[in-house]
Amino acid sequence: MSTDPFGTERLRAAVLRAWADSPTRFTEDTNTENDLRVGGYRDRLFVELAQNAADAALAAGARGRLRVSVVDGELRFANTGAPLDARGVESLASLRASGKGEETVGRFGVGFAAVLTVSAEPRIVSATGGVAFSADRTRTESARTGDVSVLRLPWPVGGDEPPVPEGFTTEVRLPVREGVDLPALLADLKNDIGDLLLTLSWLESIEVEGGAWHRTDLGDGVVELSSPDGSAEHWQVHRGEVVWAVPLDGSGSPRPLGEDVLHAPTPTDDELSLPARLIATLPIEPSRRRALPGPELTAALKGAAREYVDLVRSLPSKERLALVPGGGFPRSTVDGTLREAILENLTDSPWLPAQAGDDLPGRQARVLSVDVPGLAPLLADLVPGLVSLSGVDLRAVGAQTLSPAEAIELLTGAQREPSWWHSLYDVLLPALEAHDLAKDDLGALPVPMSDGRTLPGVRDALLVGGSAELLELLSDVDIIGLRLVHPAAAHPLLERLGAKHSEASDLLEADALSAAVERSVEDVQSGLDGMALAGAVLRLIAEVGDDAPEWAGALALPGEDGWRRADELVLPTSPLGDIFDPEVFEEDGALSVLDEEFAEDWPVGTLIAVGVLDSFALVTDEDPLEPDHGLPDEHDWWDSSERPPSRVLAVRDLDLVADDAWPEALRLLASRPETWRALTEPGGHAGWWLARYALLDGHAPLDWRMPDAAALAGLYDVVPDSGLSKEILLAAGVRTALGTETAEDVEDLLERLGDPERTVSPGLASRAHAVLAEAGVDVEAPERVRVADGSAADAGNAVVLDVPWFVAVLAPERMVVSASGAGALAELLDLPLASGLDAKVTEDGEFVPWTELSALRLAADQLGVELPEGGVLLHEALTVTFEDAEHDVAWWSDGRLHAADTPEGLGRAFAWATDRWADRHVLTALLDDPSPSALLN
């Protein structure tokens, strides 16, 4: 065998000539090698030698092994595969050329300079021979001192060089430089083994100090990396133009990296933030630390991004999301380019597992924003593009995120069996209970109805339980808005969302049913069949014990002349048929009689409960200030100056009674406790109305007086005998006393006072005038008034007496007298007050203080009256001029008191001055006879 099989002498001669011809070349080679040793390859010894081992295995076409050992202080790297050849030696001796082929990673290229970090005397021994490099021999050969280029001058190894270890083809032997911490170096080598085995697929195992790490392909792209301690790592690997790999956890699920570096194919300094590792042959700088920017790198990275989708698809569908790159700033230019390209490919290439059909690209996918187990399969054929992944944000890859509310909205109009909806509710309820969904998210959730419709939302939905017969009855009725849930779809979720369990009483509270009833007459008149609704409502009311809601009166029922509201119908057996005016029952009249055959099908109590009349019906209103009772304005029947009633309790249809049927109508009202209570309620409407509008012998009850009300004789006649009891007559408003409540009452009383055919006592007239003065209403003044002589006089010459001294000058046939309220009465009657008339005392009298009138002092003493200050103008004869005539009077007041010097004059003047007007006659008697016997008499 040749002692120089690789022609190292020729290589050395060429280099030495180059150095001799160009001294600067020597310096360049030395500097370049130093740069590689202390720069780009300072910590890449294991990486570079492992690359060479992988290239040797590739060249041999068999998976290779690498062993690292320490022998006699030397660090040795033995590998299997193709042995060293001349081309490889040439590459070793050239700092600017590499013997790598296109498929190799680093077969004795520039990267071998990494050995210089630990040794200045490296050797390579192979089955085909060996070469050695030496800094000392280079200095001697080149006649230079100091730093020299070690790897430019190769020598054959000596004949005493030990052969390659058995089982290996090549071994790199590195005498360690002084200062190298060999144990620390070996520890670092062990830390890199896993990454190298994953990156260098042609290496099967790496052994360091007797411990072996193995790489095993388990199939389906899973690679196992085992350690000497028995532990193992697993990676999911995709191989194509590039290699993508992601670590797996103990369950076989991906464990995204998040922080890594670009492997080109060995680690670089280009940081990545991708979930998976990229291992690719890329343009890199000579230092092999960074990718080389340029179009070639960009194209290579975009190609790698396209293959990333294959790695994603190799994972189970539920785990693919782990490989979607996250947000944040890129860690390097390469990272930014890769991430952007990957997201573009995930947007345009199919990879998202569709709930129905093939995988979808991101832009065609819809993703539920909340993970509700079991929901996506149910929605598969209703939501195009729905993927089986939920609760994730995939907007970065163009996917449309569907909120639960949006997904539910897509269900609107879906036609499914009620059992399908029940299954959907089974899925949604746990999510609602776990607060993954809110009630608002399910606001538009469709609900199948018993009538075959499917309507959105549970608002007003009714869960009818325990009465299939009732449900069947109601399902025959077309009630817009009455939402009865189909029994097969009934579910606790619907109750949680607001649906109500409904029995008959609950259904009677449903707004939709009340609305249907309120428009039922109109619907029947437009051609719809009203019998089903009528039967359903009557059945509901019968089931709750004939307790009907207020709106039941609007229910359309058949009458003798067509369909009518229930409260416009009278039972065929009702006494109202004989009491109401016959015109009431004519066609288009106020009422009709319920169809007799229909009436026989239902209990009387149920028909009465919905408003069909058997007797007079009550009207109630709890807020009379905002009347909703259809009665006259409340101020017609209660005094607005008093506190208004807290409610209205009245009787309806009183205006329909025939004129000659009132005695019987009153007896009917008195026979029923509820109507009798309304009739006798203090200040109630029924009593007010009957008193004015009922007819007894052609006149209202207020026009009559009770037989024992003799004080009203003359103004009112005794009520005729109609067979009615005293209690009924009083309840109906027959008078026992004077009184006015309305303007009509005032006008009636004025008319009666002014009627010349009536004989009215002065006292009754005075009391009547006092009642009128308190009425406080504005009516037209009467033409005739009742005056003091008891006659009905022309109002044009009448005067309301408001002061007593005018009695002496006014004729009785002119004076209108009132027990009180003369001023208000004058205003009501539009008459002047006596005090406002023009009258003058003809002569001044003599002023005499009260204290100087001895007889008056004695009279006052007997009555216990203190004498007031002041006095009186005393006249021998007191004359007053009034209306061009002189009148002798006993006393007068024109702002001053005048009195004739007589007992009558002084007594009246003193009584007025001391506000003892009622004692005027006693004072007159005492002034005439001041003895005690006069007071007693």
Side-chain angles (χ1 to χ4, degrees):
M1 175 182 287
S2 171
T3 58
D4 189 8
F6 304 118
T8 59
E9 183 177 0
R10 175 181 55 82
L11 295 175
R12 291 194 306 276
V15 172
L16 291 171
R17 282 195 303 273
W19 286 351
D21 294 341
S22 176
T24 58
R25 178 66 180 270
F26 173 84
T27 303
E28 290 175 356
D29 288 347
T30 300
N31 291 341
T32 298
E33 192 172 279
N34 282 335
D35 288 344
L36 293 175
R37 177 172 60 85
V38 302
Y41 291 90
R42 65 182 180 276
D43 54 2
R44 296 179 63 85
L45 172 64
F46 194 20
V47 171
E48 296 299 330
L49 295 183
Q51 287 176 351
N52 290 338
D55 289 342
L58 173 61
R63 300 281 297 282
R65 294 180 294 116
L66 173 65
R67 186 177 73 183
V68 183
S69 60
V70 178
V71 179
D72 297 331
E74 288 187 344
L75 183 60
R76 296 185 178 183
F77 294 82
N79 63 266
T80 61
L84 183 65
D85 58 16
R87 184 180 179 189
V89 174
E90 290 178 359
S91 295
L92 289 171
S94 174
L95 294 178
R96 298 171 179 82
S98 175
K100 292 187 296 182
E102 291 183 359
E103 299 295 327
T104 59
V105 175
R107 177 69 167 152
F108 295 125
V110 177
F112 187 72
V115 301
L116 299 177
T117 60
V118 297
S119 178
E121 308 289 331
R123 307 187 310 281
I124 300 177
V125 179
S126 184
T128 54
V131 293
F133 300 91
S134 170
D136 290 340
R137 294 176 71 177
T138 298
R139 291 188 188 96
T140 301
E141 194 74 19
S142 63
R144 286 177 168 82
T145 60
D147 287 339
V148 295
S149 175
V150 176
L151 300 180
R152 292 288 280 132
L153 298 180
W155 282 271
V157 297
D160 57 350
E161 185 73 33
V164 177
E166 185 177 354
F168 294 90
T169 58
T170 305
E171 185 175 55
V172 177
R173 298 171 178 173
L174 305 174
V176 179
R177 290 176 182 269
E178 184 179 354
V180 173
D181 187 345
L182 195 55
L185 180 61
L186 291 175
D188 290 341
L189 296 183
K190 293 176 183 179
N191 290 335
D192 293 338
I193 291 176
D195 286 346
L196 287 173
L197 283 175
L198 180 65
T199 301
L200 305 173
S201 60
W202 279 97
L203 282 182
E204 182 179 50
S205 66
I206 298 177
E207 180 182 345
V208 178
E209 293 187 309
W213 285 258
H214 294 274
R215 171 191 173 119
T216 305
D217 290 326
L218 300 180
D220 294 329
V222 178
V223 172
E224 180 182 79
L225 304 177
S226 60
S227 301
D229 61 4
S231 64
E233 291 183 357
H234 293 84
W235 291 70
Q236 183 73 37
V237 179
H238 163 73
R239 295 185 180 281
E241 294 295 326
V242 300
V243 174
W244 283 103
V246 62
L248 304 177
D249 61 20
S251 64
S253 298
R255 182 167 46 86
L257 292 174
E259 293 185 7
D260 198 18
V261 294
L262 173 66
H263 288 64
T266 52
T268 69
D269 288 344
D270 286 309
E271 296 184 49
L272 299 182
S273 62
L274 300 176
R277 173 171 295 169
L278 172 61
I279 306 169
T281 301
L282 301 171
I284 59 174
E285 296 176 350
S287 66
R288 301 190 62 82
R289 289 193 171 274
R290 292 194 179 276
L292 185 64
E296 292 183 0
L297 176 62
T298 301
L301 294 177
K302 290 187 175 181
R306 286 191 292 272
E307 293 192 31
Y308 188 87
V309 181
D310 295 327
L311 174 66
V312 174
R313 281 197 291 256
S314 70
L315 294 174
S317 59
K318 64 180 181 179
E319 297 174 347
R320 296 176 182 178
L321 293 179
L323 295 191
V324 177
F329 291 104
R331 302 174 68 88
S332 65
T333 302
V334 171
D335 187 36
T337 302
L338 266 177
R339 193 193 318 177
E340 181 179 352
I342 287 172
L343 291 176
E344 287 179 0
N345 280 279
L346 292 176
T347 299
D348 298 328
S349 301
W351 67 279
L352 280 169
Q355 190 59 57
D358 299 330
D359 289 349
L360 296 168
R363 69 172 68 256
Q364 295 179 8
R366 288 182 171 184
V367 183
L368 294 176
S369 63
V370 176
D371 185 16
V372 179
L375 178 58
L378 288 172
L379 303 181
D381 60 339
L382 296 172
V383 182
L386 183 66
V387 298
S388 58
L389 307 171
S390 302
V392 292
D393 186 355
L394 291 177
R395 288 175 293 180
V397 295
Q400 178 183 349
T401 299
L402 286 180
S403 68
E406 291 170 329
I408 294 302
E409 186 176 351
L410 294 175
L411 295 176
T412 301
Q415 297 300 315
R416 292 291 186 275
E417 292 297 321
S419 58
W420 183 92
W421 292 104
H422 192 278
S423 299
L424 176 65
Y425 305 153
D426 276 340
V427 167
L428 296 177
L429 180 57
L432 181 65
E433 292 176 338
H435 303 291
D436 292 331
L437 296 178
K439 286 186 178 181
D440 290 345
D441 296 331
L442 304 178
L445 180 66
V447 182
M449 301 290 110
S450 62
D451 59 5
R453 297 175 297 165
T454 300
L455 301 178
V458 300
R459 182 180 180 184
D460 299 327
L462 302 177
L463 298 164
V464 180
S467 179
E469 181 181 358
L470 180 59
L471 180 61
E472 180 180 357
L473 178 65
L474 290 169
S475 64
D476 292 336
V477 185
D478 184 13
I479 301 176
I480 298 175
L482 185 60
R483 308 180 66 179
L484 303 179
V485 179
H486 195 286
H491 194 279
L493 173 69
L494 301 181
E495 188 175 3
R496 287 285 299 274
L497 296 177
K500 296 180 180 179
H501 279 288
S502 305
E503 302 300 336
S505 58
D506 301 311
L507 294 174
L508 288 173
E509 295 178 1
D511 293 340
L513 182 60
S514 64
V517 168
E518 288 169 355
R519 66 172 180 271
S520 59
V521 172
E522 182 181 348
D523 288 344
V524 171
Q525 291 173 349
S526 65
L528 298 178
D529 180 16
M531 196 62 73
L533 178 62
V537 174
L538 289 173
R539 177 60 180 273
L540 288 170
I541 293 174
E543 287 201 9
V544 298
D546 297 336
D547 184 12
E550 292 183 4
W551 48 259
L555 178 64
L557 296 178
E560 289 183 349
D561 60 351
W563 288 78
R564 289 286 196 100
R565 288 171 56 103
D567 56 11
E568 294 179 354
L569 292 168
V570 177
L571 287 174
T573 57
S574 170
L576 294 177
D578 298 325
I579 292 176
F580 286 163
D581 192 306
E583 292 183 359
V584 170
F585 300 104
E586 293 180 357
E587 186 174 359
D588 297 329
L591 300 175
S592 181
V593 177
L594 181 66
D595 180 80
E596 188 171 355
E597 291 185 6
F598 185 88
E600 292 174 353
D601 292 336
W602 295 96
V604 171
T606 302
L607 294 172
I608 292 175
V610 298
V612 179
L613 297 176
D614 180 45
S615 182
F616 286 103
L618 295 180
V619 175
T620 59
D621 190 345
E622 299 298 332
D623 188 3
L625 292 180
E626 303 252 349
D628 186 26
H629 42 61
L631 301 172
D633 182 82
E634 70 276 5
H635 292 293
D636 288 341
W637 61 276
W638 59 267
D639 188 347
S640 61
S641 66
E642 299 175 355
R643 183 177 181 180
S646 60
R647 66 167 185 165
V648 173
L649 178 62
V651 179
R652 54 165 277 195
D653 300 326
L654 295 175
D655 57 331
L656 304 183
V657 176
D659 291 348
D660 58 357
W662 272 109
E664 185 60 31
L666 290 171
R667 275 188 284 270
L668 181 59
L669 287 167
S671 69
R672 304 289 177 97
E674 60 275 12
T675 51
W676 178 248
R677 183 172 64 254
L679 185 61
T680 57
E681 183 175 65
H685 179 272
W688 174 89
W689 194 94
L690 288 172
R692 288 159 178 76
Y693 302 110
L695 293 177
L696 297 176
D697 198 18
H699 294 277
L702 276 178
D703 292 341
W704 304 106
R705 66 176 175 87
M706 295 296 291
D708 55 359
L712 300 180
L715 279 178
Y716 298 96
D717 299 329
V718 175
V719 61
D721 185 9
S722 58
L724 296 174
S725 69
K726 177 180 179 180
E727 290 76 16
I728 294 177
L729 291 173
L730 289 173
V734 177
R735 287 186 180 274
T736 60
L738 291 169
T740 58
E741 295 181 4
T742 67
E744 290 78 7
D745 293 343
V746 171
E747 290 174 344
D748 176 72
L749 183 54
L750 288 174
E751 183 179 352
R752 290 174 181 275
L753 287 169
D755 184 358
E757 299 297 323
R758 291 186 175 276
T759 301
V760 181
S761 69
L764 178 58
S766 176
R767 294 192 299 275
H769 286 148
V771 169
L772 289 171
E774 294 178 357
V777 297
D778 185 16
V779 297
E780 186 176 349
E783 294 182 359
R784 303 186 67 82
V785 295
R786 188 68 59 171
V787 292
D789 67 353
S791 65
D794 185 351
N797 196 36
V799 176
V800 176
L801 184 67
D802 62 332
V803 290
W805 49 87
F806 266 93
V807 172
V809 298
L810 284 172
E813 63 270 17
R814 295 184 61 192
M815 289 188 295
V816 177
V817 180
S818 176
S820 62
L825 179 65
E827 184 177 354
L828 175 70
L829 300 179
D830 196 19
L831 296 179
L833 288 168
S835 60
L837 300 178
D838 186 18
K840 294 182 179 180
V841 177
T842 56
E843 294 180 358
D844 291 336
E846 178 184 359
F847 179 77
V848 179
W850 298 114
T851 56
E852 295 181 7
L853 297 171
S854 57
L856 191 61
R857 287 200 307 274
L858 291 174
D861 179 63
Q862 292 194 62
L863 290 177
V865 177
E866 293 185 6
L867 294 176
E869 296 180 0
V872 64
L873 293 172
L874 201 60
H875 300 257
E876 289 186 7
L878 179 58
T879 304
V880 174
T881 302
F882 173 67
E883 295 181 347
D884 299 329
E886 291 186 352
H887 302 269
D888 291 330
V889 299
W891 72 293
W892 198 263
S893 175
D894 56 5
R896 300 174 301 170
L897 278 176
H898 300 263
D901 191 8
T902 64
E904 181 182 3
L906 285 172
R908 279 165 171 72
F910 186 72
W912 187 262
T914 56
D915 198 22
R916 298 291 291 264
W917 185 247
D919 294 331
R920 61 190 181 279
H921 301 295
V922 177
L923 285 167
T924 299
L926 289 172
L927 288 172
D928 187 48
D929 180 7
S931 67
S933 60
L935 178 61
L936 294 175
N937 290 332

